[in-house]
Amino acid sequence: MAPIRLIILGATGSIGQNARAVLEEHRDKIQVEGLVARSRFEAVHDFALAFDARWVGLTDPAAADRLRQFAPDRPYRLITGMEEVVETIHESSATTVLAAMSGFSGLRPTLAALERGMTVLLANKETLVAAGDLVKGVAAAHAAPLVPVDSEHSAIFQCLGLDQPVRRIILTCSGGPFRGMTREQLRHVTVEQALAHPNWRMGPKITVDSATLMNKGLEIIEAHHLFNTPFDQIDVVVHPESVIHSLVEFVDGATLAQLGWPDMRVPIQVALSWPDRWPLSGAPLSLTDRPLTFMPPDEEAFPALRLARQAGIAGGLYPAVLNAANEEAVAAFLARDIAFLDISRVVEHTLSVFSDTRPATTLEDILATDRWARQTAAAWIHERARTP
Ligand code: NDP
Ligand code: MG
């Protein structure tokens, strides 16, 4: 088999570093072509040296300057700024891109990879939430495969296997650090508590999304796009142990699940090796050392799930509004400008004043809507921050 020539968008993040651990075990199968980060230049430099990367992209120009000083004799090409990164992907001969930048900023380089016909291994769910129809249209036009990396969607992808008729997809959800709490109890939770996820070590944005359950809401929309599943056939069940990564119920009632320890190396490697499977180190799954439990999500205490589902059903540009408002709200919460419960209030307010029913089929419309939603959310946040 010819080696995979890989670009990693978000090489220094949690997914990027889990990918690095997978690459350690499969140096013979994968060549690193390019690594992209925003500003963590020492980490990306270290990664590039370890895997002989041909180029490194830093979207923050100040960080690129620091890398020039830090490593004047670097053996790779240094690309500076998002425009140059997008251009470099457009001209690249890589076969595969792992899209693992956080947030909406992953959209343009992901589109560039799809336009080039590359296989895109998608961790960056915000891209699909905000621009699902556009992303799928570009992927189809260029026969570019889109392979899920998000653990739930990887589980569904693996269960679907053959193209058989599905009755329902069931996404599992750990419930996050605040599972079981009432709205009253959630009023005073802190940033530190929100960042202490019980099962997964992830970047701050997705960790807060896991605490509000917006992560699961985004994943409902992600599943809708990836598997062409209507929203009324996507359910969520809380499963605190994070051992069953999701389930598919077929029309005859037979239900398949994918199990494993919570370890993102597995879905990353499945996406790289599919339809083959490669060996991977790690402790074997034990089914006898803990019970597996399930319960319905509490949409009263965690309204983000309902908001995301409603935005998904409304379709068009609504999911882009949901995503942008949520990104602004999470950043404001992490900056301690608003309280935890305000996050879903920002999202609900921003959705409630949006009334554009056009489809989300052009990049211009999606970018303009994203900007509008951020400004609208920021104005609400500003008001809130001034209210004692
Ligand atoms: P992290 O915050 O840990 O990492 C984000 C990465 O993206 C970093 O490499 C960061 O660079 C880079 N980045 C962010 N903004 C930009 C930008 N404007 N230009 C270039 N690079 C940028 O996030 P995660 O790894 O946790 O998550 C990445 C994506 O994967 C998210 O969309 C998340 O929802 C999804 N995901 C993550 C999972 C996980 O287990 N972590 C599970 C499932 C999905 P720098 O370090 O320089 O800032
Ligand atoms: Mg997930």
Side-chain angles (χ1 to χ4, degrees):
M1 192 188 83
I4 293 168
R5 294 198 304 280
L6 182 67
I7 295 171
I8 304 180
L9 307 172
T12 49
S14 156
I15 292 287
Q17 294 297 303
N18 274 296
R20 180 173 175 168
V22 169
L23 301 192
E24 291 286 0
E25 300 196 27
H26 301 288
R27 284 181 176 268
D28 55 325
K29 302 187 191 76
I30 300 161
Q31 286 169 8
V32 176
E33 167 118 0
L35 297 173
V36 179
R38 179 175 42 201
S39 54
R40 280 189 271 180
F41 64 91
E42 284 171 301
V44 78
H45 172 73
D46 183 72
F47 196 165
L49 289 192
F51 287 88
D52 217 2
R54 293 178 55 192
W55 57 268
V56 162
L58 282 172
T59 57
D60 174 2
D65 281 342
R66 294 186 65 192
L67 178 54
R68 277 187 199 95
Q69 289 165 14
F70 176 75
D73 301 321
R74 57 196 178 276
Y76 52 80
R77 209 171 117 216
L78 177 58
I79 313 287
T80 307
M82 183 62 94
E83 293 308 317
E84 263 197 60
V85 165
V86 168
E87 229 170 83
T88 306
I89 294 170
H90 265 138
E91 290 160 6
S92 162
S93 60
T95 57
T96 309
V97 168
L98 172 59
M101 273 164 60
S102 54
F104 184 74
S105 54
L107 176 60
R108 290 193 50 226
T110 302
L111 284 175
L114 293 169
E115 281 160 3
R116 188 81 181 155
M118 296 174 191
T119 300
V120 169
L121 317 182
L122 190 82
N124 177 219
K125 66 194 84 183
E126 293 91 342
T127 278
L128 209 55
V129 169
D133 292 332
L134 174 68
V135 167
K136 279 172 53 193
V138 172
H142 298 272
L146 204 53
V147 185
V149 168
D150 208 348
S151 57
E152 296 78 1
H153 305 75
S154 174
I156 295 160
F157 178 73
Q158 293 173 66
C159 291
L160 285 174
L162 304 169
D163 191 19
Q164 294 172 328
V166 169
R167 186 151 75 194
R168 192 164 63 118
I169 279 175
I170 306 164
L171 296 171
T172 53
C173 169
S174 71
F178 304 141
R179 179 176 51 82
M181 283 194 185
T182 61
R183 275 188 84 70
E184 185 52 33
Q185 290 169 312
L186 289 171
R187 277 181 63 187
H188 302 294
V189 296
T190 64
V191 169
E192 288 70 26
Q193 288 170 317
L195 288 177
H197 196 281
N199 303 347
W200 300 95
R201 295 286 153 265
M202 311 179 287
K205 196 272 179 174
I206 184 176
T207 305
V208 173
D209 284 347
S210 300
T212 58
L213 296 205
M214 181 57 87
N215 183 50
K216 211 49 54 181
L218 300 177
E219 289 184 358
I220 291 175
I221 301 174
E222 185 185 14
H224 165 76
H225 285 300
L226 282 170
F227 309 115
N228 296 318
T229 309
F231 285 99
D232 62 0
Q233 292 174 22
I234 306 174
D235 284 345
V236 170
V237 67
V238 174
H239 167 49
E241 297 80 22
S242 296
V243 165
I244 295 188
H245 296 303
S246 280
L247 309 91
V248 176
E249 181 182 298
F250 292 92
V251 284
D252 52 9
T255 303
L256 299 191
Q258 186 256 328
L259 286 72
W261 295 128
D263 177 353
M264 283 310 294
R265 293 178 315 144
V266 176
I268 292 167
Q269 177 166 306
V270 167
L272 280 164
S273 70
W274 196 262
D276 198 359
R277 287 197 187 260
W278 303 334
L280 184 67
S281 62
L285 180 64
S286 164
L287 287 171
T288 49
D289 71 346
R290 75 190 75 182
L292 299 183
T293 55
F294 306 91
M295 59 213 71
D298 179 352
E299 298 200 14
E300 182 72 30
F302 300 95
L305 207 50
R306 166 180 57 80
L307 293 173
R309 193 183 279 282
Q310 284 169 352
I313 291 169
L317 292 159
Y318 278 85
V321 172
L322 172 93
N323 179 65
N326 182 57
E327 285 191 24
E328 289 297 308
V330 171
F333 171 68
L334 287 170
R336 293 162 215 271
D337 288 340
I338 58 172
F340 182 77
L341 286 179
D342 288 334
I343 298 173
S344 52
R345 292 192 184 112
V346 172
V347 176
E348 182 150 33
H349 165 75
T350 310
L351 283 167
S352 74
V353 294
F354 185 69
S355 58
D356 188 337
T357 53
R358 283 177 302 161
T361 42
T362 73
L363 183 58
E364 291 68 32
D365 286 349
I366 293 164
L367 292 174
T369 302
D370 176 84
R371 268 195 306 274
W372 173 87
R374 283 174 201 275
Q375 283 161 5
T376 306
W380 193 98
I381 290 164
H382 185 68
E383 269 306 303
R384 187 70 171 188
R386 288 188 328 158
T387 315

